[in-house]
Amino acid sequence: MDVRRRLPSKPTASDRIPAPSPVRIQASDALPLPIRHTNKIFSALFMAALYFLMCRWREKVRTSTPLHLLTLSEIFAFVSLVASLIYLISFFGITYVQSSIPSNEDEIDEGVVVDDRHFPPTSSAQSANPPPPPCPLLVDNSDAKIPSFYPDDNDEEIVSSVVSGKTPSYILESKLGDCQRAAGVRREALRRITGSAMQGLPLHGFDYQSILGQCCEMPIGYVTLPVGIAGPLSLDGRTYYLPMATTEGCLVASTNRGCKAIAVSGGAESVVLRDGMTRAPVVRFGSAKRAAQLKFFLEDSSNSDTLTVVFNRSSRFARFQGIQCALAGKNVYMRFSCSTGDAMGMNMVSKGVQNVLDYLQDDFPDMEVISISGNFCSDKKPAAVNWIEGRGKSVVCEAIIKEEVVMKVLKTSVPALVELNTLKNLAGSAVAGALGGFNAHASNIVSAIFIATGQDPAQNVESSHCITMMEAVNEGKDLHISVTMPSIEVGTVGGGTQLAAQAACLDLLGVKGANLESPGANSRLLATIIAGAVLAGELSLMSALAAGQLVKSHMKYNRSSRDISQVAAAAVAAAAGTKNH
């Protein structure tokens, strides 16, 4: 019987949205009562049995009655004491034991980065149609031969099946057991459907198994980007060479000039002000008064310890920092913040938030969870809350550029830079109503390093929030420049950081992987390096603008200097030579 589904003409909701993360099953789920009620019952039973036995044994000692002669009530009390003691030891001991045992789930915390789409509301349609099984290559089957989905068919028949809709494209990896072959089949099927050969898109030479289940679905190839190197950047007494993936001419060269100016002036210094990822679910009540009760409960300092314990159970690395609530009528927006080790931490904080929501459901049964993310986080969107409160790593980086360096390297003057920064980055951005955009081009540098090191490019939106300040110091001779970036969202594990090229760039910076001695140190260092690179980029571009060099430099690096007629003549000559040969 043919059990294969026809590929729908339009993607359905289950096709577009990944299945929700599985619920973490605990032993307490099997109890007939909520865990907090069960704890109270066994605690009371333990104290009552202990008090009864002590009274009875005291009476026996007073009356010289043998202790080993037990009545039925004493036997029942003794059994109750032992049973309640075993339960209490098991309950309070499991959390301690689990916290000291590494688990696969904790590894996922440090290795997977997700966004809002990973937590859609569960629907009956999704339950009836579970997602396809994972690719066998996700399991170590290096010594086993993986059976083909079509043992008797060749690739031509598989392609035809995909084109006709008999075989959904998204199950090719799991059914063929070969990620490279699946990408090729999918690409050929797409060529036949659309008529586009996509000849410039490379297919071979990429490890498709490395992206399966965490970076990209239904791949048909990969995009190549040039990676330039700027530096060395002298920052906090160390030097770094900056990998920058970009297609914009002059960007790497300009950043490199800024790095030189900083280095010959004694280097830059940086400070991490805050480190905490946020997630803000939205819940609804029947009235605004009831919604306010939840806000007061969450912001009550006496409940902080309980919320911390519940939240931190989700991971070895997630550590609850605080919660900020906002009301919109009868809707409550809860902005949770937590440290996430060396991971960027979206998945980690989301799991902790889910734990708290489950816990709150007992005391607020009328609470309706609308979404695990209510945009008060705020992720991948420009928002004042990130500009003011911070998200990810909040970093400030500064340097003092000597007067002779400004004149010889940057080709301008200190007063010209200070005036330009005031009129452009501060006043000009204010006139434009900018939100976090009080800078020249911080996004340029952030995007280039993000792509090179495997960060989420979409988080460039809030990560590029930056205010650039310039001031004349040392009796007006030297330039003090600083960049303040309140929401740099980066990680050194998980997501695209595990890909070979991106991992190599992280290794170049000395921040590859997790820091075993001090969790979170690598990701914080990466954030400071990005801030230092932005400082160099701001310094160089502002100098080019002050000196009137911007158009000239872009014409040099962004435009070809070759004569088109000469190129055409050379091509004709080469073609004629080939014919004659």
Side-chain angles (χ1 to χ4, degrees):
M1 181 178 64
D2 187 4
V3 297
R4 295 172 292 183
R5 296 188 295 113
R6 175 176 290 275
L7 184 67
S9 56
K10 294 184 178 180
T12 63
S14 59
D15 292 332
R16 293 191 302 266
I17 304 176
S21 301
V23 178
R24 185 174 184 177
I25 300 176
Q26 301 179 355
S28 60
D29 296 340
L31 297 175
L33 295 175
I35 187 68
R36 59 194 186 93
H37 296 320
T38 308
N39 292 341
K40 292 179 181 178
I41 292 174
F42 274 94
S43 298
L45 182 62
F46 175 81
M47 297 302 298
L50 181 62
Y51 178 79
F52 176 80
L53 289 175
M54 291 180 66
C55 292
R56 291 295 301 157
W57 290 343
R58 182 171 177 269
E59 180 66 18
K60 287 185 177 183
V61 171
R62 190 177 65 83
T63 59
S64 300
T65 303
L67 296 178
H68 66 277
L69 296 179
L70 301 177
T71 64
L72 185 61
S73 60
E74 291 172 344
I75 294 174
F76 178 79
F78 184 80
V79 172
S80 300
L81 178 68
V82 174
S84 58
L85 181 62
I86 292 175
Y87 172 82
L88 294 175
I89 291 176
S90 301
F91 175 76
F92 290 108
I94 285 175
T95 302
Y96 174 79
V97 173
Q98 286 181 338
S99 65
S100 61
I101 300 177
S103 65
N104 291 335
E105 187 171 351
D106 288 331
E107 294 302 324
I108 293 175
D109 284 341
E110 285 277 353
V112 178
V113 177
V114 299
D115 57 19
D116 305 5
R117 297 173 301 168
H118 286 247
F119 295 89
T122 306
S123 64
S124 58
Q126 290 174 332
S127 301
N129 298 297
C135 176
L137 292 181
L138 290 178
V139 186
D140 186 8
N141 289 321
S142 55
D143 298 329
K145 184 177 180 181
I146 303 174
S148 173
F149 180 48
Y150 300 97
D152 299 327
D153 296 344
N154 54 31
D155 284 355
E156 174 59 33
E157 294 173 332
I158 301 174
V159 171
S160 300
S161 179
V162 174
V163 172
S164 65
K166 295 180 179 179
T167 301
S169 175
Y170 59 81
I171 69 170
L172 288 175
E173 281 81 2
S174 61
K175 297 305 181 181
L176 294 177
D178 187 335
C179 297
Q180 172 77 40
R181 182 183 176 197
V185 169
R186 182 180 296 111
R187 178 162 171 166
E188 175 60 20
L190 183 64
R191 185 192 68 80
R192 298 186 186 183
I193 294 172
T194 65
S196 175
M198 296 170 289
Q199 294 180 353
L201 184 68
L203 173 64
H204 301 285
F206 187 81
D207 182 9
Y208 292 97
Q209 181 182 346
S210 65
I211 66 171
L212 196 64
Q214 54 185 330
C215 290
C216 181
E217 298 78 36
M218 296 185 287
I220 59 170
Y222 59 97
V223 174
T224 57
L225 279 176
V227 177
I229 194 74
L233 170 68
S234 180
L235 178 67
D236 298 325
R238 299 175 58 184
T239 58
Y240 304 93
Y241 286 90
L242 310 173
M244 303 176 67
T246 180
T247 56
E248 179 181 351
C250 204
L251 177 60
V252 178
S254 178
T255 307
N256 189 69
R257 183 175 73 150
C259 289
K260 179 181 179 181
I262 292 173
V264 297
S265 296
E269 294 182 348
S270 65
V271 178
V272 177
L273 306 176
R274 282 188 298 260
D275 181 8
M277 182 50 64
T278 62
R279 173 60 86 196
V282 53
V283 300
R284 182 169 59 194
F285 288 90
S287 66
K289 181 178 180 180
R290 185 63 172 157
Q293 291 175 353
L294 175 62
K295 171 181 169 65
F296 298 148
F297 176 85
L298 292 174
E299 294 181 347
D300 188 345
S301 59
S302 62
N303 297 321
S304 178
D305 291 342
T306 302
L307 294 175
T308 299
V309 171
V310 174
F311 188 99
N312 291 352
R313 286 177 181 172
S314 63
S315 169
R316 292 179 297 162
F317 303 97
R319 291 296 175 264
F320 179 75
Q321 294 176 337
I323 183 172
Q324 176 185 4
C325 293
L327 259 65
K330 58 182 182 178
N331 305 305
V332 185
Y333 297 82
M334 302 169 280
R335 192 174 191 260
F336 291 80
S337 176
C338 82
S339 59
T340 58
D342 284 304
M344 187 269 289
M346 289 298 298
N347 191 39
M348 199 181 298
V349 65
S350 296
K351 290 198 298 181
V353 169
Q354 188 63 57
N355 283 355
V356 175
L357 292 177
D358 294 340
Y359 168 78
L360 292 175
Q361 204 78 57
D362 291 336
D363 292 323
F364 296 87
D366 54 335
M367 179 182 72
E368 180 185 1
V369 179
I370 303 300
S371 173
I372 193 72
S373 175
N375 275 11
F376 187 39
C377 314
S378 171
D379 186 43
K380 302 182 175 85
K381 291 165 283 290
V385 68
N386 292 338
W387 176 244
I388 299 171
E389 299 292 339
R391 189 171 195 253
K393 278 70 175 171
S394 299
V395 183
V396 59
C397 187
E398 64 178 348
I400 295 179
I401 311 301
K402 297 178 181 179
E403 181 183 27
E404 57 268 25
V405 176
V406 174
M407 297 177 62
K408 294 180 180 180
V409 178
L410 302 177
K411 311 298 182 184
T412 184
S413 66
V414 173
L417 281 173
V418 173
E419 181 184 31
L420 175 62
N421 187 71
T422 301
L423 295 179
K424 171 182 167 61
N425 288 342
L426 304 183
S429 296
V431 170
L435 178 60
F438 297 89
N439 58 81
H441 71 148
S443 177
N444 249 340
I445 289 86
V446 172
S447 297
I449 299 181
F450 264 36
I451 296 173
T453 57
Q455 310 303 313
D456 188 340
Q459 289 183 324
N460 165 69
V461 175
E462 60 268 38
S463 296
S464 296
H465 282 345
C466 172
I467 182 169
T468 301
M469 302 293 291
M470 292 185 184
E471 180 184 354
V473 294
N474 298 332
E475 299 180 353
K477 293 182 179 180
D478 301 331
L479 175 73
H480 179 276
I481 178 173
S482 67
V483 293
T484 304
M485 306 180 69
S487 51
I488 302 178
E489 299 169 1
V490 293
T492 57
V493 295
T497 65
Q498 48 85 35
L499 300 179
Q502 287 80 350
C505 291
L506 289 171
D507 191 41
L508 173 67
L509 295 172
V511 295
K512 177 183 176 182
N515 190 306
L516 301 180
E517 297 179 357
S518 178
N522 282 357
S523 60
R524 287 191 292 270
L525 178 55
L526 177 58
T528 62
I529 293 173
I530 291 174
V534 169
L535 184 74
E538 290 287 283
L539 181 60
S540 183
L541 177 57
M542 292 294 288
S543 299
L545 289 170
Q549 300 171 338
L550 181 66
V551 175
K552 180 180 178 181
S553 61
H554 273 272
M555 290 301 294
K556 177 180 178 181
Y557 287 93
N558 280 5
R559 298 289 184 268
S560 174
S561 61
R562 293 176 297 180
D563 190 315
I564 300 299
S565 60
Q566 293 180 359
V567 174
V572 172
T578 302
K579 288 183 179 181
N580 295 335
H581 180 72

